[in-house]
Every structure is written in structure tokens, then in C-alpha cells.
Amino acid sequence: MARTVYYTATTLDGFIADPNDSLEWLLRQTEEPPDDGFIDGVGAIVMGATTYEWVLRNLDGPWPYEVPAWVMTHRKLGLPEAGKDGKTPDIRFAKGSVSDHYFEMCTVTGDRDLWVMGGGDLAGQFADEGLLDEIITWTAPVVLGRGRPLMPRRLDLELLDVGRSDPFVIARHRVIGPLLEDSPTE
């Protein structure tokens, strides 16, 4: 059965980008994350407009993903150029809630995973709807102090696995649900 997985790099203090949406902190790491097989298990990708625009700005060649990609946005965005094979990437712009498009996304994935590529608020929207199964983080030895949070939600998680790939600590968590204990009162 397909899982919905938020798979991302983060800083030690829980940010996925600095306040200017820069990933320079990640790009300067001495080691490139190894191929852990995650991408081979992905049947579709979903990302927010900011992540999509970052990928487009930093492309070095054709669109890097062969699976369908949803971009959750309320803005009009352009498509990347066709690859050398002349094929236009399968990118679908979507408005509304993630639950409005979830069935179609999962239908396309078949028995492979839906990768919530970014950002933290988008992953939080999946969690809010009870549609996020796992969070896999690659934690870099960097502290930013502020920026875009990994997950701007209160969630209860179960640690499934932990590992290391210099300089990253890799953790895989199952999402149990909203964290209700010690909930702030309004």
C-alpha cells in the first residue's frame, strides 16, 4: 500500500530553509546524501509553489523527476523546458486543499509512495487531514536560529529507524497524529 512520506533535509534546530528560502546551508555540506533507494519507491511527488520555484531556479539540466508532480499553488506558474527527449514533464498545478487532490495522487502512485517534497506547511496540511504516514529527515550539523520550520504543527511521532550518513543523521518516524498533551490553551 502506498504511503505518504515527507522526506526532507533539516537543520539541527528544525529549519528546512533560511528566512530567504535559501538552502545554502544544505548545499555546502561536505557529503552528498547517498542514494538510499527512496526515489525508486516514489510514484508521485507533491510540493508547494516555493519549492517548485526553487527547483526551477536551480535546475542544471532537464526536470529531474520522471514521476507525476503536483504543485499546490494559487499562482500562475510556468513549466520547465522539455527534456532532450522532447517530452514535457508531467507537472500538475492544483488549488484547494490537499485532500481535494489526494485520491488522484494516490491513484497515480499505484503501490509506490507519494513524496511530500516540501515545504513544512504543505506536509502539515497532509498531517492535518490525517494523510501523512511518515517523516524521514536528514539532519545536517547546522543551526540557523530562524527560517522555514520543518513542521509547523504539533505531532505525535514514533521513531522507526535512525542512522547516519556523514554528516547527516537520518531518522524515520511514523506519524501517530496530533500531539494533544500539553496543548496550549487559547
Side-chain angles (χ1 to χ4, degrees), residues 16-154:
I16 59 173
D18 76 8
N20 299 315
D21 293 323
S22 172
L23 296 178
E24 287 303 315
W25 64 269
L26 176 61
L27 300 176
R28 71 175 181 76
Q29 296 306 309
T30 57
E31 294 292 322
E32 187 72 23
D35 180 4
D36 62 358
F38 176 78
I39 298 296
D40 295 336
V42 170
I45 300 169
V46 59
M47 66 186 80
T50 302
T51 301
Y52 177 72
E53 289 175 321
W54 188 93
V55 171
L56 289 181
R57 275 193 315 274
N58 292 279
L59 274 179
D60 185 24
W63 181 252
Y65 308 106
E66 296 178 9
V67 297
W70 274 260
V71 179
M72 302 302 296
T73 184
H74 295 285
R75 298 181 273 152
K76 184 157 178 72
L77 299 170
L79 290 169
E81 294 181 21
K84 292 179 182 176
D85 60 3
K87 290 175 60 177
T88 302
D90 185 355
I91 297 172
R92 306 167 190 204
F93 299 106
K95 294 180 183 177
S97 74
V98 295
S99 61
D100 292 341
H101 305 280
Y102 186 71
F103 178 78
E104 182 183 4
M105 292 174 189
C106 289
T107 299
V108 167
T109 65
D111 61 350
R112 294 170 34 180
D113 293 335
L114 174 62
W115 175 16
V116 181
M117 179 185 272
D121 186 61
L122 179 63
Q125 291 173 45
F126 278 90
D128 291 346
E129 298 289 336
L131 302 173
L132 187 63
D133 298 304
E134 290 188 10
I135 300 173
I136 300 173
T137 55
W138 287 68
T139 303
V142 174
V143 175
L144 293 177
R146 59 191 175 95
R148 299 279 185 161
L150 168 69
M151 176 62 71
R153 304 291 195 278
R154 294 172 53 87

Side-chain angles (χ1 to χ4, degrees), residues 154-175:
R154 294 172 53 87
L155 291 178
D156 197 8
L157 306 172
E158 174 190 6
L159 180 64
L160 299 176
D161 193 20
V162 66
R164 177 181 177 172
S165 179
D166 280 339
F168 299 94
V169 174
I170 306 145
R172 186 172 142 241
H173 293 88
R174 182 175 67 87
V175 176

